[in-house]
Amino acid sequence: MIEIKNLSVTYRRMTSDGRELRAEAVKNVSLSVEKGRFYALAGESGSGKTTVLMAIPGLLPRGTEAEGRILLEGADLLSMKEEELNKIRWRRAALVPQGAMNSFTPVLTVGRHVEEVLSVHLGLPKKEAEGRIASLFSMAGLEGELARRYPHELSGGQKQRAAIALALACDPDYLLCDEPTTALDVITQQGIINTLKKLVDEKGLGLLLISHDLPLAASVASRLYIMKDGRLVEEGPPREIVASPQNPHTKALVGALLDLEEDS
């Protein structure tokens, strides 16, 4: 499993007059992600969710301070050098970033992106990679012929599925998904979520979903974590949290949902 223990993250920036500005984005957060289970980390914008996610594969901005431990089956990712982390990324833990266009260069077909990952990380020759691309697109719910298209030729939902196919390229054990349904219509959102659930169930992936959408997170996860102002304020089975929230912030989130339902 992935175990995050007492993680604290501080962003640092130098001003033009030489002063250092510091912002503590994550404060003493502990959580775990096991294979074969779907987890969700929810909270309002700016609560530190994405910072926690990006700390796992070591993708925080240069100069950021990260304290605590992030254990991948016993090995501490925070203490690893860049060369060691490169062996973990893609092959052990893969990222689906927020906004599918962040995964793609506009001048390359989406299939070419996957081919490069397969070549660099697995050493697959072109012909073997082509067969693997068709299989990956199928797993992500896409027709193989779409691999020949450029990112701008795909719909928002297709681009998001292509980003999932890209993340699956090296058959990782864990999938880290940062708001994968942002800016998609509700039907497309549900399709993406169903695809992710299927991957967890059939491939035994451990999946961590970042979301500010509490109903979405609660509907899909086997365990739900709630963040507020950089801290983990509540965790547990989603049904229990929604039915009987303990933290004032979680109560406010659930209360807002109930108010919306009454208004409708």
Side-chain angles (χ1 to χ4, degrees):
M1 67 169 68
I2 294 175
E3 294 180 275
I4 298 176
K5 297 186 175 184
N6 308 118
L7 176 67
S8 295
V9 178
T10 301
Y11 291 113
R12 301 162 56 202
R13 182 172 67 85
M14 299 301 296
T15 66
S16 57
D17 59 358
R19 292 182 298 112
E20 182 183 71
L21 300 181
R22 300 171 62 88
E24 192 176 13
V26 174
K27 306 166 186 176
N28 201 37
V29 165
S30 297
L31 59 85
S32 62
V33 179
E34 296 181 19
K35 291 181 185 177
R37 297 188 66 188
F38 200 127
Y39 298 80
L41 179 58
E44 61 191 6
S45 297
S47 60
K49 307 181 302 295
T50 295
T51 297
V52 171
L53 188 81
M54 291 299 188
I56 296 172
L59 294 176
L60 295 172
R62 183 173 297 178
T64 302
E65 292 181 359
E67 300 177 344
R69 304 180 77 192
I70 301 178
L71 303 177
L72 175 57
E73 297 175 4
D76 190 359
L77 302 182
L78 284 184
S79 66
M80 288 186 180
K81 296 180 180 179
E82 188 68 15
E83 311 87 74
E84 296 173 297
L85 285 171
N86 279 332
K87 296 177 182 178
I88 299 294
R89 297 167 186 152
W90 296 99
R91 282 177 280 191
R92 300 299 308 281
L95 175 70
V96 179
Q98 184 174 3
M101 284 303 291
N102 294 332
S103 298
F104 301 109
T105 300
V107 296
L108 298 177
T109 65
V110 289
R112 177 60 180 157
H113 286 80
V114 182
E115 183 184 325
E116 284 194 354
V117 171
L118 293 171
S119 174
V120 171
H121 292 276
L122 299 183
L124 292 189
K126 183 178 179 64
K127 184 164 290 187
E128 191 175 342
E130 288 175 353
R132 173 72 173 155
I133 290 168
S135 174
L136 290 167
F137 270 55
S138 177
M139 278 191 278
L142 290 173
E143 296 179 5
E145 64 182 28
L146 294 178
R148 296 193 291 270
R149 295 191 183 181
Y150 290 89
H152 70 273
E153 296 177 312
L154 302 180
S155 69
Q158 288 173 332
K159 279 196 285 281
Q160 194 60 63
R161 289 181 181 276
I164 293 170
L166 182 63
L168 293 172
C170 297
D171 198 21
D173 297 316
Y174 302 93
L175 208 56
L176 311 173
C177 301
D178 188 11
E179 307 263 13
T181 59
T182 296
L184 300 177
D185 63 85
V186 291
I187 294 176
T188 303
Q189 283 183 7
Q190 190 59 55
I192 297 295
I193 290 299
N194 288 341
T195 296
L196 294 175
K197 287 174 64 178
K198 185 177 180 181
L199 290 169
V200 172
D201 293 338
E202 295 185 359
K203 292 181 66 63
L205 292 172
L207 192 147
L208 178 59
L209 171 74
I210 301 299
S211 181
H212 63 266
D213 188 334
L214 182 59
L216 176 69
S219 70
V220 69
S222 58
R223 190 166 189 83
L224 179 62
Y225 299 100
I226 305 293
M227 284 193 73
K228 168 69 173 175
D229 295 334
R231 299 185 185 277
L232 199 63
V233 296
E234 193 156 351
E235 65 175 281
R239 288 180 182 272
E240 292 183 11
I241 288 180
V242 173
S244 182
Q246 301 300 305
N247 182 269
H249 176 63
T250 313
K251 289 180 180 179
L253 289 176
V254 173
L257 295 176
L258 295 176
D259 289 344
L260 286 174
E261 289 178 359
E262 291 174 359
D263 291 342
S264 63

